[in-house]
Amino acid sequence: MTQHILILGAGFGGLWSALGAIRLLDRQGRSDIQVSVLAPQAELRIRPRFYEPEVAKMAAPLGELFDAVGVRFIQGTAQRIDVAGKRVEYLDGQGNAAISHFDKLVLATGSGLARPDMAGVTEHAFDVDQLEEAVRLEEHLKALAGRPASPGRNTVVVAGGGFTGIETAMEMPARLRAVLGQDAEVKVVIVDRGDAIGASMGTEIAASIAAASTELGVQWQLKSSVEAVDADGVTLADGQRIDAATVIWTTGVKASDLTAQIPGERDRLGRLKVDGNLRVIGQEDIYASGDTAHAATDDLGNNALMTCQHAIMLGRYAGHNVAAQMLGVEPIAYSQPKYVTCLDLGAWGAVYTEGWDRQVKLVREEGKQLKTQINTVWIYPPVADKAVALAAADPLIPIA
């Protein structure tokens, strides 16, 4: 009787979990175990690029790849996980209720922006968290050209000075001028609680962020926070008003709500705590990958972040280990001691760092070349060739 590994989610964690499982099954010559991916679309949405223009193109189809390696795709949106009954209830592509049973489950349903319960945020703020929202923002920016000229029309406020907020803000001067004209007077303001530009990113990298901000004219409203959003701008906690036709929310993220349906300990972001093999602690047959997993990357106290850098590797290990458990072979403990960042700083360039203390290695054009390589090549799925794809799913691939 065919056994079933069900993977929820086709993001970085889900895709690479599927490839990791198929790779081990193929190496063991096993064809009696089915690997399925259940997700709304058979595509990898390139979420790290959603701050860029032409965002509708930021999705890579997965159908041919899944066919090439033997992964079954189930179109649907998971609604309920029945842990005891080993089944997932979902809505299929037509909105009909359906059920998929499993022997082993990998939860890889990602994360989402945690919008605060604050006046006007839901109604008036944009974000770059999901593809549909990023497309909505792009359509809004293009429509600004049809509005009467005013300082507010030409102003963007970005709430949050973290990784996403910085990359989004640094791209905005060029995106606004592409719509309003190269000579347009534009204003981009990052509202951040920190007491210095880029303070949350570390001292070394902050110097590059400050230099890029100055060169591009991106302003920082430090030691501050947004109190309310309306159709014409924001009100800050100190009462200050900034008129802006565009407000982009980038603060706060949480793991998929489906994590709450699996008994287990969760961190403050809602991620399930997993053991060294990425199995959910307290669960025999459920693994977590990508942004749903709270996993130790090394023996120094560092944990995986909600980034594709970690999700890809978590997927390779989770897929390998869930298949290994079914086959009765030794798992490979997850390890990802190397941590890097490559922060896009718009027309200024980019800054590349290594280590958890973010030591700067490349800046400006050299950093930009690397960022472009990452964004357009490295994070995309492998080609639809079985040998190539499964080779790329090896969890022990050296990380340069």
Side-chain angles (χ1 to χ4, degrees), residues 223-354:
K223 300 180 182 178
S224 189
S225 61
V226 175
E227 183 75 15
V229 183
D230 57 57
D232 300 312
V234 300
T235 302
L236 305 184
D238 62 2
Q240 181 180 343
R241 174 77 185 173
I242 303 177
D243 291 333
T246 309
V247 178
I248 306 173
W249 204 270
T250 69
T251 65
V253 68
K254 63 178 181 178
S256 162
D257 290 341
L258 289 172
T259 58
Q261 298 188 22
I262 296 175
E265 187 178 355
R266 283 167 286 277
D267 67 9
R268 63 179 181 83
L269 300 175
R271 299 181 298 177
L272 287 158
K273 294 193 175 181
V274 296
D275 64 18
N277 297 327
L278 304 184
R279 185 165 57 180
V280 176
I281 295 173
Q283 295 296 327
E284 180 66 20
D285 300 311
I286 301 178
Y287 290 70
S289 179
D291 289 358
T292 65
H294 175 99
T297 60
D298 51 38
D299 297 326
L300 302 176
N302 297 308
N303 295 305
L305 301 179
M306 289 177 166
T307 66
C308 67
Q309 171 185 181
H310 287 110
I312 290 170
M313 289 295 290
L314 285 164
R316 289 171 178 155
Y317 279 93
H320 178 95
N321 288 339
V322 70
Q325 186 189 19
M326 296 189 86
L327 298 173
V329 302
E330 282 296 312
I332 302 176
Y334 168 65
S335 177
Q336 193 173 355
K338 185 168 184 178
Y339 172 62
V340 303
T341 61
C342 197
L343 183 69
D344 196 343
L345 296 175
W348 183 88
V351 55
Y352 168 73
T353 71
E354 295 183 353

Side-chain angles (χ1 to χ4, degrees), residues 11 19 49 81 119 191 216 225 321 362 370-371:
L19 295 178
R49 299 188 65 184
I81 301 171
V191 179
L216 299 178
S225 61
N321 288 339
L362 300 172
L370 178 59
K371 183 66 172 182

Side-chain angles (χ1 to χ4, degrees), residues 57-194:
K57 299 178 181 179
M58 308 303 182
L62 297 175
E64 289 186 9
L65 174 59
F66 284 160
D67 290 344
V69 300
V71 170
R72 180 177 63 142
F73 176 70
I74 305 170
Q75 185 176 19
T77 303
Q79 301 292 306
R80 179 174 176 268
I81 301 171
D82 180 354
V83 174
K86 288 192 171 184
R87 66 181 200 167
V88 172
E89 299 172 10
Y90 66 96
L91 297 178
D92 67 16
Q94 290 70 50
N96 301 314
I99 293 173
S100 180
H101 294 269
F102 62 85
D103 293 286
K104 304 291 181 185
L105 180 72
V106 180
L107 184 65
T109 45
S111 61
L113 184 67
R115 286 175 176 257
D117 184 16
M118 180 186 296
V121 172
T122 299
E123 298 85 353
H124 303 293
F126 297 87
D127 67 67
V128 294
D129 184 63
Q130 302 298 323
L131 183 63
E132 291 80 5
E133 285 299 310
V135 168
R136 189 171 74 91
L137 170 62
E138 184 157 33
E139 292 172 347
H140 164 80
L141 292 175
K142 290 178 179 178
L144 292 175
R147 296 190 182 190
S150 71
R153 182 198 66 168
N154 294 19
T155 299
V156 173
V157 171
V158 176
F163 206 99
T164 301
I166 291 170
E167 290 197 320
T168 301
M170 297 301 172
E171 196 71 21
M172 280 299 135
R175 293 185 68 176
L176 283 171
R177 291 191 175 102
V179 171
L180 302 175
Q182 293 304 312
D183 295 329
E185 290 289 333
V186 302
K187 181 179 179 180
V188 178
V189 183
I190 298 174
V191 179
D192 188 54
R193 295 178 185 273

Side-chain angles (χ1 to χ4, degrees), residues 161 166 192 194-203 205-206 209 220 222 358:
I166 291 170
D192 188 54
D195 56 7
I197 292 175
S200 66
M201 305 292 290
T203 304
I205 195 172
I209 297 168
W220 287 70
L222 296 168
R358 295 191 172 125

